[in-house]
Amino acid sequence: DMANNRYTMHGGCTAFLVDMCSSLALAALTRNINPNSSKFKAVSQSLNIVYHSPAPVGDRLRIVSTTMPVPFVSKELELDSNIWSKDYHRLVASGMHNMMPVSESPSIKSHL
C-alpha cells in the first residue's frame, strides 16, 4: 500500500515517516523537559525531504531522528530525520522538519 508503480516506497509515504518520526522525537524531548505536560503542542512550519535512493518493497528501513536538546520556548525547532536502507546500506531519504510551539490565543480557545 505504500509503494509506487516501480515497487519502491512512495515519496508521500517517505514524507509521512519523516513527519511522524521527527514529531515523536520532539514530543519525547518536550516530555523530558516538562514531565507534567500532558499535551504536545507544536505545529509544522515546513517539511523538506531530499530523496537519495529508492527503497524497494520488502527492504528493511532504519529511521534516525534527532533534535536539539533546548528548552521548549517560542522559537523554531529544527528536527532532522534520515531513513536508511538496512539491506542495501545506503541513505534513502533525509528530511528537515521545522516546528514551532502553538501560541494559544483566547479567540482560538473559544472556538474549540
Side-chain angles (χ1 to χ4, degrees):
D1 290 344
M2 297 183 212
N4 58 24
N5 59 355
R6 293 185 170 187
Y7 300 102
T8 61
M9 185 167 58
H10 190 279
C13 178
T14 305
F16 170 77
L17 289 173
V18 169
D19 181 21
M20 292 305 295
C21 292
S22 59
S23 295
L24 286 171
L26 181 58
L29 175 65
T30 305
R31 189 78 168 167
N32 212 10
I33 292 171
N34 184 2
N36 297 324
S37 174
S38 61
K39 293 185 179 181
F40 172 59
K41 299 176 183 177
V43 293
S44 297
Q45 288 184 308
S46 65
L47 183 64
N48 298 307
I49 311 292
V50 177
Y51 301 94
H52 302 282
S53 61
V57 170
D59 195 4
R60 295 176 304 139
L61 302 175
R62 179 172 188 240
I63 304 171
V64 179
S65 295
T66 57
T67 182
M68 296 288 289
V70 294
F72 196 70
V73 293
S74 62
K75 294 183 179 180
E76 294 179 19
L77 298 170
E78 182 178 309
L79 305 107
D80 297 315
S81 293
N82 294 308
I83 302 176
W84 294 89
S85 167
K86 291 181 79 172
D87 295 337
Y88 295 99
H89 307 289
R90 63 184 178 198
L91 185 61
V92 173
S94 53
M96 183 176 56
H97 192 178
N98 288 324
M99 298 183 82
M100 63 178 262
V102 174
S103 60
E104 296 182 26
S105 66
S107 61
I108 292 174
K109 287 182 181 180
S110 64
H111 289 89
L112 295 179

